[in-house]
Structures are given as structure tokens and as C-alpha cells.
Amino acid sequence: MTPLLEVRNLVKTYRVPGKAGTKPGQLKAVASVNLQINAGETLGLVGESGCGKSTIGKLIMGLTPVNAGQMLFRGTDLTQLSARKMRPFRRQIQMIFQDPFSSLNPRMTVGETLSEPLLIHQLCPASERHKRVIKLLDQVGLDSAAANRYPHEFSGGQRQRISIARALAVEPELIIADEPVSALDLSVQAQILNLLRDIQREHNLCYLFIAHDLAVVEHVSDRVAVMYLGKIVETASAEDLYHQPRHPYTEALLRAIPYPDPALAGRPAPLKGELPSPLDPPQGCAFHPRCPYAAELCRQQEPALLDIGKARQVACHYSDKVGSVSPPDKKHDYVS
């Protein structure tokens, strides 16, 4: 199957000014990342804050320039396109941001916000825009009166519904959801996740679902990619990854999920230590200072991301030693 989107050796670096008496540094936010998203699927992208997840989303959207690598959308390398040639592809890739308040223009009504992409891409005549706006609001569970109101008049969950409607307005093929529920209450999270799932089924959409909460990602993803310090360390189907991780970092993340079950009180302690500075990453495997399986090889040689069968990849010298994490009988009931 030809992927809808394929990312090859993607690199993004930032120049960091030096402090008094020190030289400027270079922060590699995304380091030779490879990803692919197939038609109709959801790829979850997880990892600790600062690992580069959101940067990948912005690179794909064209909000941040790429330093190196390719981004192939249906075979076309987006990194080689001029602004004019890129315009049709901007319609096909849309984004839902983490903060639904700051991502909406406070001076525009909801109707104006949803009409703007229709005007820019000339998707329907002016006489039909209002009807299209009302239909979009209905799709995300809001009534027609919302079109005449401003973002500050809505709750956080309602504002995120508006953001989803804006992404849907141009009928995209891929939606990048960057922490779309992390700023919402638990009960509202479930509503938004159910809405995203229903919209995906109705429109045959692809999602790149970026999050740090593995309990959420489990319920919405077909496949999951795990990032650490700007690199992908494991990819697998959601079922395989959650039932038997093959990278120590993935295993640690799963152990850190809080399950409301007293029987799990004796589980191994969550991951210790802090994320190393991307300005001065460890030699060899970047995870070795925090890894319980680390050996001398890990300190000297960086592991490559290798295919280990069952359509999964892992970057670990000792992936065969990583133990399984027994899941509880009952999962978090995020999605009905």
C-alpha cells in the first residue's frame, strides 16, 4: 500500500544563542525521523514534552521550515514546492491545535472563522457559504446560533469543536491533531475523542494524533510511534505496542500510566531521571542514562531503527530483553 504521507529522514535544528562567555549551540529538535501514514488510519505519536512531537506536526503543515529530509504527500515532495505550488496541498493537510482559545481569532465570529477557508480556497459561492457553515457546526455538535458568537463565549470543549469544524471546512485528507484534548476535562475529552472517531469514519480521514497521554492514544490509534529526544525509538500496531513493548522507554511510559486498580500497586516504579538536554545529548543510545537494560554497547553505539517483524520497528540493542507489561483487565473508558 502506498502511504498517504511518508516522512523520510526529517531534520529540524534551531540555533540557540550562547550565554555570556559561551558559544552558540545547535538544538536538534527532530533528528532523521521516518514516518508513514496510510489512508484511513490514525498514527499516534507519543513521548515526553520536548521530544519533538509538535515540531513534526508543524513541519508537515509547513508552519516551520525543514532543514533536511523529504515529506512525500501522495508521492509529491512538499519540501521542494514553492509557496504557489504548495497551496493546493495546504487544503489537504489541516491541523487541530492544543489550545482552542489561542488558535481562534478573538475578533472574528465563529461564522467568519469557518467561512474564511471556504473563501480562500474558493470551495463554494458566497451565496452558499452560510449554509456550509451551518452544516459544519452541525457536524461537530453545535447549533446554528453559534455562528454569530465569538470564541470567548464558548467553553473549552466547544472551542475545540469549532477548531475541528474549521479543519473540516476544506475537506482535507489528513488532519494533524496536536494534543487536541490535553487542555480539556476528562469527561469533555471523551466527547471530543468520540467526535474525532465519528468524523474519521464519515469522511475516511487520516489522523496524526500527537499526545503524551498513552491511555488516550491507545483508544484512537491504529499504529503508534514513540519519540525520545527527537528520534523515533519504536513503531508498532497499537495492540502489539501496548501488550508487549520492545523498547525500554516504551515500557517505562506504559508503566507510568495510572490505573485505578489496587491490584497493580506492586508494579515496577515509573521511569526515573530527567530528559537529557537536546543541546548536549548522551553519546551512544540517548536513552542509556535512564535505561535499566543499558550495557557498555549502549554507551558507545547508537542503535538503528530496525524492522523486527510484524510491521514493527525498534531502536534498541537489547530489545529481546525488554519484558512485557501486563495490561489490566479494564482499560480507561475514554471512548464509548
Side-chain angles (χ1 to χ4, degrees):
M1 179 185 296
T2 302
L4 177 70
L5 176 74
E6 185 175 7
V7 171
R8 297 178 181 173
N9 302 315
L10 197 63
V11 175
K12 178 61 185 177
T13 59
Y14 295 96
R15 185 178 181 275
V16 179
K19 297 181 181 179
T22 63
K23 295 181 179 180
Q26 189 177 67
L27 189 155
K28 187 168 282 190
V30 177
S32 298
V33 163
N34 292 277
L35 287 174
Q36 67 178 44
I37 305 175
N38 299 314
E41 79 167 353
T42 297
L43 175 67
L45 184 59
V46 300
E48 292 174 275
S49 296
C51 72
K53 307 185 303 296
S54 294
T55 302
I56 287 180
K58 292 175 182 177
L59 291 171
I60 295 172
M61 279 293 298
L63 299 177
T64 302
V66 173
N67 291 111
Q70 296 178 298
M71 296 187 299
L72 303 176
F73 187 85
R74 293 199 178 279
T76 300
D77 187 0
L78 303 183
T79 65
Q80 301 300 313
L81 299 182
S82 64
R84 181 179 62 82
K85 291 183 178 179
M86 181 66 184
R87 183 164 180 159
F89 290 95
R90 292 194 180 280
R91 175 188 168 188
Q92 301 301 329
I93 307 174
Q94 291 293 302
M95 194 165 189
I96 302 169
F97 295 90
Q98 178 177 1
D99 184 353
F101 188 71
S102 62
S103 65
L104 296 173
N105 190 332
R107 297 180 179 274
M108 296 174 67
T109 65
V110 170
E112 291 169 339
T113 295
L114 300 184
S115 295
E116 186 177 41
L118 299 176
L119 173 62
I120 291 173
H121 292 279
Q122 300 179 347
L123 296 182
C124 63
S127 59
E128 295 182 14
R129 281 186 206 136
H130 180 71
K131 185 186 298 184
R132 174 64 176 153
V133 166
I134 300 306
K135 182 179 179 181
L136 286 166
L137 290 172
D138 181 66
Q139 283 183 296
V140 298
L142 295 174
D143 59 45
S144 59
N148 299 317
R149 296 162 61 188
Y150 290 87
H152 72 270
E153 300 179 65
F154 296 89
S155 67
Q158 290 173 323
R159 285 196 289 263
Q160 198 60 292
R161 289 174 185 269
I162 295 167
S163 296
I164 294 170
R166 180 178 60 183
L168 287 175
V170 293
E171 300 176 348
E173 293 186 79
L174 170 65
I175 290 181
I176 300 169
D178 185 10
E179 303 269 11
V181 297
S182 63
L184 307 177
D185 293 338
L186 194 61
S187 61
V188 181
Q189 286 186 16
Q191 296 172 17
I192 298 300
L193 291 173
N194 282 327
L195 175 62
L196 289 172
R197 183 183 63 179
D198 293 342
I199 287 172
Q200 182 178 38
R201 291 172 177 172
E202 182 179 352
H203 297 276
N204 194 32
L205 289 170
C206 294
Y207 289 136
L208 175 60
F209 194 94
I210 301 170
H212 64 271
D213 189 338
L214 273 79
V216 171
V217 172
E218 179 181 11
H219 291 281
V220 299
S221 303
D222 300 298
R223 292 187 301 117
V224 179
V226 181
M227 281 194 76
Y228 186 78
L229 214 62
K231 298 182 179 181
I232 301 295
V233 296
E234 183 170 8
T235 60
S237 69
E239 181 179 2
D240 288 342
L241 185 134
Y242 279 84
H243 283 82
Q244 184 157 11
R246 297 297 299 273
H247 194 281
Y249 180 57
T250 309
E251 181 184 48
L253 290 177
L254 292 174
R255 285 175 172 168
I257 297 176
Y259 290 105
D261 186 348
L264 298 176
R267 302 175 85 203
L271 182 64
K272 296 181 180 179
E274 298 294 330
L275 189 72
S277 170
L279 286 170
D280 186 24
Q283 184 180 352
C285 175
F287 187 62
H288 86 257
R290 308 170 73 185
C291 179
Y293 304 95
E296 187 61 28
L297 177 62
C298 306
R299 300 179 181 93
Q300 300 298 327
Q301 182 178 326
E302 180 181 356
L305 186 65
L306 300 176
D307 194 330
I308 60 171
K310 294 187 67 176
R312 70 186 304 176
Q313 297 173 307
V314 64
C316 179
H317 294 303
Y318 301 104
S319 62
D320 57 328
K321 293 185 178 181
V322 179
S324 63
V325 178
S326 300
D329 293 333
K330 294 183 179 180
K331 300 178 180 179
H332 289 292
D333 190 18
Y334 278 98
V335 184
S336 61

